[in-house]
Amino acid sequence: MPINELRALHTFLHTAELGSLRRAAQQQGVSAQAASQALAQLEKHLGVRLFHRTTRSMALTAEGRQLLATVQPAVRSLEQALAGVQHAKDEIAGPLRVVGPRSTFRPVVAPLLSAFSARHPAVQLEVQLDDHVGNWVEDRVDVGFRGGPATAEGVVARRLFALQLIVCAAPAYLERQGAPRTPAELARHRCSVFLRTDTGRPMPWQLRQGDAVVYQALTPAFSTNDEELELQAVLDGQVLGQLTGVTAAPFIRSGRLVPVLLPYLVEEHSLYLYWGSRSAQPARVRAFIDMALETLTENPAFVLGRAELEAAAR
């Protein structure tokens, strides 16, 4: 039904209930002329007169009474349905689909999800971890996290914090092998390489040289597509690894890992939060976005300052 016909039906119902076109116009917040035109358009569309009109009153015709009996329940049901949707939009409840990368994401999102669930227990969280960047619309995503701004049309992205790439090793490894001072020295070290989860191909290390970031391929002593396995291999002193600040920060701060090659540290990448750009976000989505921005934006737990890194390296 075209929206102008729906408005005309509302004018008809209000006029029938109030017995006055002027009062019906006031209730709808429109002018008497606009209400009269809407009613006239409806009668022209149906090809019948719906009211007997006098200067002081309006009475339904037989066709008007028939239309009222048929339309009134349907319009009231429609109004209730629309009101229900509006109420659901304002209620912090219902399903919420969150996506993010499998790598680096658990330490970031686990405390956030726990805090959000405690505050809003009526929300049903669905969390999908996947390093592959899918289609935001087709995957029905409400909120997402990615290591880089989303490029899909109609998506808003907000930077949360830097994703540092830190080459580090356990103290036991450095006691046996020493620390590399330049990228060229990596050739004589045992290095770990992360395998892309989508292709299985090894990811080169990224190192800063001057104003550029260069990609350095390595012959790995250990390779895996699971970040926890790679972290454990580095903690066990088997290999050097290039880990994100999210993963490495707590272990560097506790002394279990030592950063090396600090002059070549890469800090160009960032973690982003993204969501649909529609203005009328459901309350549950808006609440999650607000909590994520409040708790994660420039969160120092996931980023090591230069002074911290240099102290740890010493």
Side-chain angles (χ1 to χ4, degrees):
M1 177 185 296
I3 193 67
N4 59 337
E5 290 184 20
L6 182 59
R7 289 173 178 167
L9 284 173
H10 272 98
T11 300
F12 165 73
L13 288 176
H14 289 309
T15 303
E17 292 167 355
L18 299 172
S20 166
L21 186 60
R22 180 182 58 80
R23 291 173 61 190
Q26 290 175 342
Q27 185 161 337
Q28 290 183 278
V30 300
S31 67
Q33 182 182 6
S36 178
Q37 288 176 347
L39 193 57
Q41 289 171 357
L42 180 61
E43 288 180 325
K44 182 179 179 180
H45 175 71
L46 297 175
V48 297
R49 290 186 63 81
L50 299 174
F51 289 95
H52 297 295
R53 296 170 173 81
T54 69
T55 56
R56 294 188 177 184
S57 65
M58 297 184 68
L60 287 167
T61 63
E63 292 81 7
R65 288 193 298 272
Q66 180 183 358
L67 181 63
L68 179 65
T70 305
V71 167
Q72 192 173 43
V75 172
R76 292 294 176 256
S77 296
L78 179 59
E79 290 174 343
Q80 291 174 3
L82 294 175
V85 171
Q86 188 173 25
H87 175 72
K89 177 183 74 67
D90 296 332
E91 184 181 11
I92 303 181
L96 179 67
R97 182 169 171 79
V98 180
V99 302
R102 184 178 300 275
S103 306
T104 76
F105 191 54
R106 287 185 183 89
V108 175
V109 76
L112 173 64
L113 295 175
S114 179
F116 184 81
S117 294
R119 186 179 298 182
H120 305 294
V123 175
Q124 296 101 47
L125 283 166
E126 178 187 346
V127 183
Q128 179 76 32
L129 300 187
D130 190 347
D131 288 328
H132 172 70
V133 179
N135 184 291
W136 183 86
V137 175
E138 291 179 358
D139 294 342
R140 300 178 294 104
V141 176
D142 291 310
V143 186
F145 296 82
R146 286 296 173 204
T151 57
E153 184 179 354
V155 175
V156 176
R158 283 281 298 274
R159 181 184 180 276
L160 296 175
F161 54 80
L163 283 176
Q164 298 169 302
L165 298 178
I166 306 171
V167 180
C168 48
Y173 178 92
L174 298 177
E175 288 174 7
R176 293 195 317 270
Q177 303 291 339
R181 298 183 182 278
T182 66
E185 294 181 14
L186 290 173
R188 66 176 182 82
H189 281 270
R190 292 174 52 81
C191 297
S192 171
V193 171
F194 191 79
L195 302 176
R196 290 180 60 99
T197 56
D198 54 350
T199 65
R201 294 180 179 178
M203 297 179 64
W205 284 13
Q206 297 182 40
L207 301 170
R208 168 156 290 286
Q209 293 192 3
D211 295 331
V213 174
V214 300
Y215 293 82
Q216 181 154 339
L218 299 167
T219 301
F222 181 83
S223 58
T224 179
N225 66 349
D226 186 272
E227 191 174 30
E228 292 183 4
L229 279 179
E230 181 180 38
L231 171 63
Q232 193 59 54
V234 178
L235 287 170
D236 290 344
Q238 299 178 30
V239 288
L240 286 171
Q242 186 173 59
L243 307 175
T244 66
V246 170
T247 301
F251 299 102
I252 290 175
R253 285 172 174 145
S254 67
R256 295 186 63 190
L257 290 179
V258 178
V260 298
L261 296 176
L262 287 184
Y264 306 94
L265 174 68
V266 171
E267 300 181 277
E268 274 75 11
H269 306 296
S270 298
L271 183 69
Y272 283 79
L273 178 73
Y274 65 90
W275 64 90
S277 60
R278 61 183 185 272
S279 58
Q281 291 284 359
R284 62 186 180 276
V285 177
R286 188 69 253 175
F288 188 87
I289 291 170
D290 291 343
M291 180 178 282
L293 292 175
E294 178 185 351
T295 59
L296 296 179
T297 302
E298 302 303 338
N299 190 320
F302 306 119
V303 182
L304 290 152
R306 179 60 61 168
E308 274 189 293
L309 287 166
E310 291 175 351
R314 288 194 297 268

